[in-house]
Amino acid sequence: MGSIAEIVTAIAEEMREVGSRGTVADYIPPLAAVPLDKFGMAVVMADGTVHTAGDAEEPFSIQSISKVFALTLALGAVGDQLWERVGREPSGSAFNSIVQLETEHGIPRNPFINAGAIVVTDVLLGRLQPREAIGQMLRFVRELAGDDSIAIDEMVAAAERETGFRNRALANYMRAFGTIHGDVELVLGTYFHFCALAMSCRQLALAGRYLMDGGRSDGHRVISEKRARRINALMMSCGHYDNSGDFAYRIGLPGKSGVGGGILAVAPGIASVAVWSPGLNESGNSRLGQMALERLVQRTGWSVFEPRIP
Ligand code: DON
């Protein structure tokens, strides 16, 4: 096995050669315009060393990866009360599916599908105005990454608003069940702004340090160790929608994907990893992103299922 730097560089080079790169999300016009040949990777080690390769410095739309940060903020705001309005089970359905909501009385399966993240956003708006909640999110990711240049792409947020018919259906349906308490349009507007956060692989991997390091980021406590462990458990079981089982099987790390083609994955105690390639598989997860992570764990032994003899 080479050094981590060599492994990261080699994987990025290998990814350049892959022919079948998946398809770019086409339901949000600005995402459809992203070139399919992009690939970036960043690995932040527990000691703070950062290794990057490819387009690791280029901001992309983190989309559903923001659901991890929104969940963290909502747990901070209301603690375990959150679980009265959203479940903790894998959905086995697409990220924007509505089917389970009827039989399960408007309670989404988990906070990482769209319906669940919309509830999480509504919880945040129980205490804050939309503008304040968006500001809180931006400050949170900037602080986690130690980088004030992180911004929200207003063009993406506007495009989500214009094309978000399914999300509007989900939110209205849950409002009818009483799972959503606030004004549906305000909740969705806030949710769309979270999805429209633009971050590079480097920024994203840095932001994920608190999940790698038992709730601490750069030595500072962000959340408790117990909460970090639980968020990682949810990422492992629910972070890739109906593809979560396969992600656990192939990669074995807590991870969260977004339709912008990013994935944040965490090897607890070892590293925080972000990959980006805009081509998606049929479940809406980055095809090369998953392939790159699979090669990374094969070459490093970072899967959480690897036997670790103390
Ligand atoms: O709600 C949506 O449709 C998007 N803004 C976010 C979805 C997403 O990233 C799902 N991910 N794979």
Side-chain angles (χ1 to χ4, degrees), residues 27-28 63-64 67 95 114 160 167 191-192 195 241 256-260 283-285:
Y27 73 107
I28 304 170
Q63 291 291 315
S64 288
K67 292 174 166 78
F95 66 90
N114 284 12
E160 303 242 14
N167 286 323
Y191 166 79
F192 293 144
C195 291
Y241 315 107
K256 183 72 203 83
S257 68
V259 289
S283 304
N285 303 311

